[in-house]
Amino acid sequence: MDNIYMSRGASKVVNTCAKIQAGEQVLIVTELSRLSIAQALAAEVYRVGAEPAICIMEPRKQDGEEPPKEIAAAMKASDAFLSVVGTSITHTHAVKDAIAAGSRGLVLTHFTEEMMIHGGIEGDFEQAKIVCTAMAKAMAGAEKVILTSSSGTHLEYSAKGRRGNSLYCMVEPGQFSTLPTVEANVSPLEGTANGIIVADGSIPYIGIGVLEEPVTLKVENGRIVDISGGRQAKMLADNLASKNDPNVYNIAEHGVGLNPKCHFCGFMLEDEGVFGTCHIGIGTSITLGGVVKAACHYDVIMKNGTIVADGKTLMEHGVPKV
C-alpha cells in the first residue's frame, strides 16, 4: 500500500499521540514485515522537523523477549520511540528503562496497514482520556476489586498499593502507551486473585483471535490453575505449558477497554480497546506496576464487564460509571 493512504494515521500518531517536536530524535523500532508502516511514520517525523531513525530487528521468538541491546540503548537515548512490531516488546526492561530515562513511547504491536487507516486510530483520544484517567484513578489502590461478567466471570483481587495506568494513546516524557487501544488498568497484588475468568471476546495471541466459544480459566492465589473450553482453550493451555515458566500463569493485569472506534478483529491492540470490555493480562507485570517478569504476557478479553472497587461500581454491564 502506498504511504499516502497511511499518511493521515501517521500524522495522528506523530502529532496528536507522540507530540513530536522539531529537533527531536525519534527511534522507530520495526521488523521487515512492518517496514511500510515504519516508513510512513518516519516520513511524518521528518516532515515536522524531527530526525527519524529506523531500526529493523529480527522478530523476537516470543512476546516479551527483550530487543537487541543496541536497540534497547537507542530507545533509552531517544526523545521518543515508536515500536512497530509483530512480536511484542511492550513488556520488557527495554521499554521500562527507556521510559525511566525520560523518553516517551508508543507501541503499535500487530499493526497492519489497514489499522493505520480505519478502526481504533480514528478515535477521539482527547475525549477518551477523560473517562480513561477517571477509571484508572478509581481502580488504583483499591483494597478489594470484584470483576464479573454476563458470561460467568467472577474474579476478586486486591490492588492495595498499586498504581492505576491510563493508556489513552497520547504520551508525555516518561510515559508509554499502546495504540489504538484506550484502556485503564491496574496490576493486582501478587497472590490475591481468586475466582473464575470466562473470556468470550478474544485472545489475540498465538493465532487464537476472536473466540468461537468461551474459554474458562480458574484462578487460585494469583495464578491460573486450570484452563477449559474448546479448541482455542487447548491452544492457550498448550502454549503456556510449553514456556516451562510458572510465572506465565500469574494474574498480571485487569484492563478496561474504552475506545468506541475499536472492534474485534483478532489483533491485540484493536481488540483490547473495544469499549465496555475487560481483559485479564497473564504473565509479565513489571511495566504495569507489578513485580513479575515471565516468558510472555497474554490478555484474555470478555464482554460486558461489571467492576466494583471497595463497594463502588466503576462499570456496569460494559457501561462506565466513573
Side-chain angles (χ1 to χ4, degrees):
M1 186 179 292
D2 194 294
N3 285 355
I4 190 170
Y5 295 109
M6 292 187 281
S7 61
R8 189 179 299 160
S11 176
K12 192 165 189 178
V13 172
V14 170
N15 297 292
T16 300
C17 301
K19 302 178 181 66
I20 302 299
Q21 303 298 311
E24 289 193 307
Q25 304 279 316
V26 181
L27 181 72
I28 302 170
V29 182
T30 194
E31 303 165 1
L32 278 175
S33 65
R34 264 72 180 178
L35 188 55
S36 63
I37 299 172
Q39 289 172 330
L41 292 167
E44 181 63 16
V45 169
Y46 182 75
R47 189 192 70 78
V48 302
E51 184 172 6
I54 297 177
C55 283
I56 303 172
M57 68 177 180
E58 183 179 3
R60 305 292 84 190
K61 292 182 178 64
Q62 60 190 19
D63 290 324
E65 183 180 342
E66 297 289 332
K69 63 180 185 297
E70 296 86 355
I71 290 181
M75 290 166 65
K76 193 172 181 179
S78 69
D79 293 308
F81 65 89
L82 308 174
S83 172
V84 189
V85 295
T87 306
S88 173
I89 61 167
T90 304
H91 299 280
T92 59
H93 289 290
V95 168
K96 186 177 181 181
D97 293 347
I99 296 307
S103 186
R104 60 194 190 276
L106 288 168
V107 180
L108 290 75
T109 305
H110 291 177
F111 245 74
T112 64
E113 293 179 341
E114 180 66 21
M115 287 171 66
M116 286 289 288
I117 303 167
H118 301 298
I121 201 165
E122 298 177 285
D124 184 340
F125 300 140
E126 291 286 358
Q127 186 64 35
K129 176 182 177 179
I130 299 169
V131 66
C132 184
T133 303
M135 183 68 74
K137 184 177 180 181
M139 296 173 76
E143 296 258 359
K144 184 178 182 180
V145 181
I146 304 172
L147 167 64
T148 57
S149 74
S150 54
S151 60
T153 294
H154 187 115
L155 186 72
E156 299 188 12
Y157 66 87
S158 175
K160 185 177 180 180
R162 288 289 159 87
R163 71 175 194 251
N165 303 295
S166 50
L167 306 177
Y168 41 79
C169 306
M170 299 185 296
V171 288
E172 303 291 340
Q175 297 179 339
F176 87 95
S177 183
T178 45
L179 185 78
T181 179
V182 173
E183 68 173 88
N185 67 53
V186 71
S187 184
L189 203 60
E190 289 76 18
T192 65
N194 286 281
I196 297 291
I197 301 163
V198 182
D200 62 351
S202 172
I203 302 177
Y205 299 84
I206 59 173
I208 297 176
V210 179
L211 293 174
E212 303 160 357
E213 59 182 297
V215 173
T216 301
L217 303 93
K218 185 178 180 181
V219 180
E220 293 180 358
N221 301 322
R223 290 182 180 263
I224 295 164
V225 296
D226 184 68
I227 300 172
S228 60
R231 178 185 69 87
Q232 292 166 310
K234 187 176 187 302
M235 289 174 68
L236 178 63
D238 289 350
N239 181 271
L240 291 174
S242 74
K243 304 295 186 187
N244 294 315
D245 177 5
N247 283 344
V248 301
Y249 299 103
N250 174 57
I251 299 300
E253 172 193 9
H254 173 196
V256 184
L258 296 166
N259 186 344
K261 292 290 187 178
C262 283
H263 62 285
F264 284 120
C265 62
F267 291 107
M268 173 177 59
L269 294 179
E270 189 84 25
D271 289 10
E272 289 178 357
V274 173
F275 193 88
T277 61
C278 285
H279 58 269
I280 296 297
I282 59 178
T284 296
S285 63
I286 57 167
T287 54
L288 304 170
V291 299
V292 174
K293 181 71 170 83
C296 62
H297 176 99
Y298 297 156
D299 296 284
V300 302
I301 307 171
M302 69 208 69
K303 306 170 187 174
N304 304 317
T306 294
I307 306 166
V308 179
D310 290 341
K312 180 183 178 182
T313 300
L314 309 186
M315 176 178 274
E316 189 171 11
H317 302 302
V319 180
K321 298 295 183 180
V322 293

